């Protein structure tokens, strides 16, 4: 089992920044690919970014490319999402997820991820 706990969400003005963290614990967590997803009210959960165990493979949703940066610190079993130039459409609950099937590649498909955190709210005010 893998437990994921997100933190760092909050209220920010348009153009501001936030850094989300996700601390993982459990068995062999360091060899999992980790990803961030988000879900806005009334919408389906969508892919945001993902990073492989080594950090050598990274993917972003087109909507966040150039604004968000995913990184991980395996020594701390933590994945980060640095979010800059935030816009109202970035408002959502952000979820961390772990993919136990891969550690050198990443996927963007929600149902490929096996473990999920409880989510952290990000609200961007205009």
């Amino acid at each position: 089992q893998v437990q994921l706990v997100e933190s760092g969400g909050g209220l920010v003005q348009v153009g501001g920044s936030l850094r989300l963290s996700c601390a993982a614990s459990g068995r062999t967590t360091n060899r999992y690919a980790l990803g961030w997803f988000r879900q806005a009210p009334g919408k389906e959960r969508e892919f945001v970014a993902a990073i492989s165990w080594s950090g050598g493979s990274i993917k972003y949703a087109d909507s966040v490319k150039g604004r968000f940066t995913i990184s991980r610190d395996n020594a701390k079993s933590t994945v980060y999402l640095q979010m800059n130039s935030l816009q109202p459409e970035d408002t959502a609950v952000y979820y961390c997820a772990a993919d136990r099937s891969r550690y050198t590649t990443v996927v963007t498909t929600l149902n490929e991820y096996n473990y999920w955190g409880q989510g952290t709210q990000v609200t961007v005010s205009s």
Side-chain angles (χ1 to χ4, degrees):
Q1 278 288 59
V2 176
Q3 292 78 45
L4 302 169
V5 179
E6 303 97 335
S7 61
L11 175 64
V12 64
Q13 292 185 334
V14 169
S17 299
L18 283 175
R19 188 175 84 152
L20 305 183
S21 300
C22 173
S25 60
R27 191 172 181 180
T28 61
T29 56
N30 280 359
R31 292 190 175 270
Y32 295 172
L34 294 170
W36 288 96
F37 291 76
R38 66 186 182 186
Q39 188 167 17
K43 295 187 177 181
E44 294 186 349
R45 195 170 299 188
E46 64 176 5
F47 171 77
V48 175
I51 186 168
S52 62
W53 169 62
S54 67
S57 180
I58 291 175
K59 288 186 178 179
Y60 294 99
D62 288 343
S63 59
V64 306
K65 279 181 182 176
R67 300 188 298 124
F68 291 11
T69 302
I70 190 171
S71 61
R72 68 188 292 166
D73 183 341
N74 287 341
K76 297 180 179 180
S77 296
T78 300
V79 62
Y80 305 97
L81 186 68
Q82 177 67 44
M83 306 186 295
N84 299 328
S85 302
L86 284 162
Q87 301 299 313
E89 52 266 33
D90 296 316
T91 295
V93 177
Y94 283 70
Y95 297 91
C96 175
D99 174 3
R100 67 185 177 194
S101 301
R102 300 170 184 86
Y103 54 91
T104 60
T105 60
V106 295
V107 294
T108 64
T109 308
L110 184 149
N111 60 12
E112 293 291 327
Y113 287 78
N114 311 102
Y115 305 103
W116 293 84
Q118 82 288 349
T120 186
Q121 176 71 47
V122 172
T123 303
V124 184
S125 64
S126 57

